[in-house]
Amino acid sequence: MVETFTVTFVDPEKEGKERRANVEADETLLDAAHAAGIAIEATCGLRGRCRSCRVKIVSGEVPPATIQDTVQLGHDEVRENFRLACQTKVVENCVAMAMPPKSESGHQILTSKISAAETHGLNIESGIEKHLVSAKAPASEHNQTADWDEIFSVLPEGTERQISLGVMRKIPTALRGKGGTLTATTFNGRVIDLEAGDTTEHIYGIAFDIGTTSIVGSLIDLTTGECLSNVGGVNPQAVYGGDLMSRIAYAQFDEKKLATLRARALNALSDFTKQACAEADLSADHIYKMVVVGNTCMHHVLLGIDVSHVGLAPYAPVVNDAIVVPSSELPLKAAPNAQVCLLPIVAGFVGADTMACVLATRIFESVEIRALVDIGTNGEVVMGGKGRLMACSAPAGPALEGAQIRHGMRGAMGAIERIHIKDDITCTVIGDTPAIGICGSGLIDACAELVKCGVMETSGRFLPKGREKLPLALQSRFKKSADGVEFTLVDRDQSGKDEAVTLTQQDIRQIQLAKSAIFSGIFMLLKVMEVSEDDLKELLMCGGFGNYINVENAVKIRLVPDLPMDKITYAGNAALMGAQIALISETERNRASELARSIEHVGLATHPDFQDLFVEGMSFLSGDDANHSKTSNNPLRAGGRRAAKGEN
């Protein structure tokens, strides 16, 4: 018989508040927390490579610390009974406390009231049509017909006769409810809904971008193209891993965990759909088309498709075609009459969200070389123009989203989002509140400013000698800890929590790995296409994260190429815009399938020059490089030209 134990979780902010869960002896404290309904995050995907699932065992037997506990938490915290919940097996009844408590709120989610119809001048041809018809119920017993015969006979020519079981069940009421006057809704000629009376004025659709970190959606009037409501929030799957590989590792070869991820996604889409309809004061029954885009992992999880082999070489998706399924098959009960459309996938890590970005930016129409970069936990790069497009995946990881950074967090209330250094540090905090952490845009600023003022070398190492030459205020911000040298951004007495907000040397290394992935992806495509960065007409930065960063600092840290500022353009949430385009235009949705098959995919890891480019991208521009970035001696530009020409 398997032994079970009770784990009690206490809330450090609310005395007396407890939650309990019974778990088997081989399960972890993280399993217990999730069973108790406590959303402790495990951004590294249960691999013990971050501190996000840090807990303190208050009473009961404390299991021995693992190597990962010691590496991530340090000897001092281990002695104080802190453990990583994902690594600690339950050995008896115990009381634990999640540390730190959940404190992020007011996340910055990039949405826009501007619709695709307005920005792209598209004709509205969503494929959804409503037909107001009159039909009579069968009246003759001798020449008997079926209810559906009577309705079908008055529908437009070309309408498919075959209907779903759900539509069949609506026939009797629709036919007899309003004296034979009824509205038939079709999607590309197939009947998907029947209603008594005239509902022809109500035709709506909703577009969703399911990102690894956030989910955003737009409710659209499919008659006018008007955006009626925008919704969004944090992807609730994030507690199971901060990046794609972590999410895949969590569900790999485990149907129950895959079902857990899927349920989180479906529930989020349902909740956002209900919220959007409430804000627009309309019935979700009249949402007839839903377009969903996301990376390959999010795409497969939503459909309940095993993602195990997406995380194993050669990282192939299970399916890559455009897909249309009734909402009832997912199931997505919040929009019972919707046809759910998913855009095609290019490769294992170049997903439907990238195809949406291609549609939105119109890069495929350009006569000059352009590049789009979707900066996120899995950055994608598409480069080229009319006639040829190439794409690659740059696995940046979650560092630029604040994960696996000691005091990192998403863009939410209390996050440092801007940093400026002169004689001392000035921080701008989201919500103008005391800082509790630092988000991605703040990390980029921090690295650029620390190199510029001499606190950090271009290699990413904190200045080891000569600190006495720095202003006194900056000298005082260095401190030693169990993890080595740290640099204080906000002192403890000025922060919004009981500790200072700092940057560690390990934090800098995580940022370097993330930004170098994006950098090397861009330059690899330049090399394969045999062009230099000078030949780029425009670099389009897509995604919510790209909207908030300081572009000059992004150049200084070598996140993106050293281009003139007028060549770097914000494209906003291009994935959501592309989903809107496919929502209102079947021509564009079909175009996505044609484009997906024509895009050439470049596998970075297997390319012989990738390692050299990645190493080059690890360093930061020096102050002189930043001030004279267009001189022939600039190592970034020289390196880019060498890469493009294939020189050693």
Side-chain angles (χ1 to χ4, degrees), residues 269-271 273-274 284-285 287 332-336:
L269 292 189
S270 291
D271 290 344
T273 298
K274 292 174 183 177
D285 289 348
I287 293 178
L332 191 64
K333 297 179 181 179

Side-chain angles (χ1 to χ4, degrees), residues 361 363 366 368-373 382-383 522 526 531-542 551-552 555 560-571 630 637 641:
T361 59
I363 189 174
S366 175
E368 297 176 281
I369 301 296
R370 283 179 162 80
L372 69 85
V373 184
V382 179
M383 187 177 294
I522 296 170
L526 287 171
V531 296
S532 76
E533 66 267 37
D534 293 326
D535 298 316
L536 276 180
K537 177 67 175 178
E538 184 178 28
L539 179 74
L540 296 147
M541 298 180 65
C542 306
V551 175
E552 290 188 14
V555 169
V560 295
D562 182 15
L563 299 172
M565 290 299 105
D566 60 0
K567 282 191 173 185
I568 301 177
T569 306
Y570 291 120
K630 297 304 171 188
R637 296 180 63 78
R641 292 194 185 97

Side-chain angles (χ1 to χ4, degrees), residues 290-305:
M290 178 184 293
V291 173
V292 180
V293 301
N295 56 56
T296 304
C297 177
M298 297 299 100
H299 173 284
H300 282 24
V301 166
L302 182 68
L303 295 174
I305 297 173

Side-chain angles (χ1 to χ4, degrees), residues 104-331:
E104 296 181 16
S105 61
H107 293 87
Q108 291 184 327
I109 304 295
L110 182 63
T111 58
S112 173
K113 271 287 186 182
I114 301 174
S115 72
E118 296 175 59
T119 56
H120 291 78
L122 298 173
N123 293 324
I124 298 175
E125 39 157 347
S126 66
I128 302 294
E129 294 184 273
K130 282 201 167 187
H131 309 280
L132 182 63
V133 296
S134 293
K136 294 182 179 179
S140 172
E141 191 173 340
H142 296 289
N143 185 24
Q144 196 173 79
T145 59
D147 288 357
W148 176 235
D149 289 332
E150 299 298 331
I151 296 173
F152 185 74
S153 68
V154 296
L155 292 177
E157 186 176 350
T159 303
E160 291 183 22
R161 182 175 177 86
Q162 187 172 357
I163 53 176
S164 69
L165 179 59
V167 173
M168 289 182 196
R169 290 168 175 163
K170 295 179 179 180
I171 290 174
T173 301
L175 181 60
R176 296 168 178 82
K178 295 288 184 180
T181 298
L182 58 90
T183 302
T185 305
T186 61
F187 177 54
N188 292 332
R190 180 162 43 88
V191 178
I192 60 173
D193 191 28
L194 289 172
E195 299 170 278
D198 183 356
T199 65
T200 52
E201 292 185 0
H202 303 288
I203 309 177
Y204 309 110
I206 193 163
F208 280 110
D209 170 27
I210 305 180
T212 310
T213 303
S214 61
I215 299 176
V216 290
S218 296
L219 180 64
I220 305 293
D221 186 322
L222 294 183
T223 301
T224 65
E226 179 186 1
C227 180
L228 303 176
S229 176
N230 280 299
V231 290
V234 174
N235 187 334
Q237 297 175 341
V239 297
Y240 301 106
D243 59 13
L244 287 186
M245 292 307 294
S246 298
R247 211 76 56 88
I248 290 171
Y250 171 77
Q252 206 161 34
F253 304 114
D254 192 322
E255 291 184 4
K256 288 184 178 179
K257 289 182 177 179
L258 174 63
T260 298
L261 289 181
R262 183 171 179 239
R264 289 244 171 179
L266 289 171
N267 288 340
L269 292 189
S270 291
D271 290 344
F272 286 136
T273 298
K274 292 174 183 177
Q275 179 186 338
C277 290
E279 291 177 0
D281 192 24
L282 57 87
S283 171
D285 289 348
H286 292 140
I287 293 178
Y288 297 108
K289 184 178 178 184
M290 178 184 293
V291 173
V292 180
V293 301
N295 56 56
T296 304
C297 177
M298 297 299 100
H299 173 284
H300 282 24
V301 166
L302 182 68
L303 295 174
I305 297 173
D306 184 10
V307 294
S308 298
H309 298 283
V310 177
L312 301 171
Y315 312 107
V318 176
V319 291
N320 57 10
D321 295 324
I323 293 172
V324 179
V325 294
S327 60
S328 58
E329 285 191 23
L330 287 178

Side-chain angles (χ1 to χ4, degrees), residues 570-589:
Y570 291 120
N573 192 336
L576 180 60
M577 182 60 71
Q580 286 190 26
I581 289 171
L583 181 67
I584 66 174
S585 172
E586 282 292 279
T587 297
E588 294 296 321
R589 189 172 73 85

Side-chain angles (χ1 to χ4, degrees), residues 82-105:
F82 285 94
R83 295 289 186 271
L84 299 177
C86 73
Q87 301 297 307
T88 305
K89 299 289 181 67
V90 179
V91 295
E92 69 164 32
N93 297 339
C94 65
V95 177
M97 181 185 297
M99 299 292 294
K102 295 289 291 180
S103 54
E104 296 181 16
S105 61

